[in-house]
Amino acid sequence: MPKVLINPKSSDIETGNAFVQTVELRENGVLLGRAIWAAPSDLSQGVAQIVDLTVPDDRRRNGFGGQLILAVVEQAQIYFKSRGAKLRRLWFSVEQKSQVNARAFLMKHNFHHTASISELLIKQDALIYTRAFD
Ligand SMILES: CC(C)(COP(=O)(O)OP(=O)(O)OC[C@H]1O[C@@H](n2cnc3c(N)ncnc32)[C@H](O)[C@@H]1OP(=O)(O)O)[C@@H](O)C(=O)NCCC(=O)NCCS
């Protein structure tokens, strides 16, 4: 059974600072996936970002990415609640052309394409996928 490891714990960070947390899935020490998410110092919008989420090539399609999403959602909800706020939206930016798999993955996990940004990436749009919690 894979273990979820988090670093740092939300209780280790002083209120009023931005927060970045790494969430790893490991089994017997072997990395099965890693996510990094971030919250700004002002939590009043209830918005957090998944900055990165990767499952090693040879471990994909085993549900580990899905387990990481669950762990990130849980950690983000704990973090916002512990500071008197509520998580409203979680968002992730993916590359339109080179991350087609990621788009299918995010849709399976209740993220929806809510915006496209042009002139940010090279020769493709950045697509913003958002999951709502209200
Ligand atoms: C996207 C990524 C994190 C998915 O991780 P994973 O552990 O393979 O995901 P899961 O096994 O939990 O897959 C859940 C669902 O996502 C979708 N999915 C995942 N990979 C897919 C693929 N290659 N093609 C189509 N759908 C895919 C499917 O709906 C899948 O369900 P199914 O296996 O029952 O069909 C992984 O492919 C990855 O690390 N890609 C490179 C980095 C990246 O693009 N990161 C952005 C993440 S949003």
Side-chain angles (χ1 to χ4, degrees), residues 53-56 59-67 92 94 99 101-102 104-106 108-109:
L53 192 154
T54 308
V55 170
R59 303 284 177 172
R60 291 180 187 168
R61 298 309 279 270
N62 288 302
F64 299 139
Q67 289 181 45
F92 198 120
V94 299
Q99 287 188 303
N101 297 343
F105 170 77
L106 287 170
K108 170 137 186 186
H109 293 285

Side-chain angles (χ1 to χ4, degrees), residues 91-99 103 115-128:
W91 68 277
F92 198 120
S93 171
V94 299
E95 297 163 9
Q96 180 187 23
K97 292 180 186 165
S98 37
Q99 287 188 303
R103 293 163 60 186
S116 301
I117 304 174
S118 56
E119 297 181 27
L120 177 67
L121 305 179
I122 303 164
K123 293 186 181 167
Q124 59 183 326
D125 286 353
L127 304 183
I128 306 300

Side-chain angles (χ1 to χ4, degrees), residues 69-82:
I69 290 277
L70 286 178
V72 166
V73 168
E74 185 182 13
Q75 291 303 319
Q77 285 177 326
I78 289 171
Y79 180 76
F80 275 71
K81 196 171 175 191
S82 71

Side-chain angles (χ1 to χ4, degrees), residues 17-87:
N17 289 330
F19 182 65
V20 180
Q21 186 179 60
T22 300
V23 178
E24 286 184 352
L25 207 58
R26 286 184 181 268
E27 191 163 47
N28 301 323
V30 176
L31 183 72
L32 302 177
R34 179 183 288 124
I36 297 170
W37 69 273
S41 53
D42 178 356
L43 300 180
S44 60
Q45 292 291 333
V47 174
Q49 176 187 6
I50 300 178
V51 180
D52 197 81
L53 192 154
T54 308
V55 170
D57 255 340
D58 58 344
R59 303 284 177 172
R60 291 180 187 168
R61 298 309 279 270
N62 288 302
F64 299 139
Q67 289 181 45
L68 275 173
I69 290 277
L70 286 178
V72 166
V73 168
E74 185 182 13
Q75 291 303 319
Q77 285 177 326
I78 289 171
Y79 180 76
F80 275 71
K81 196 171 175 191
S82 71
R83 281 152 174 80
K86 185 176 182 305
L87 178 68

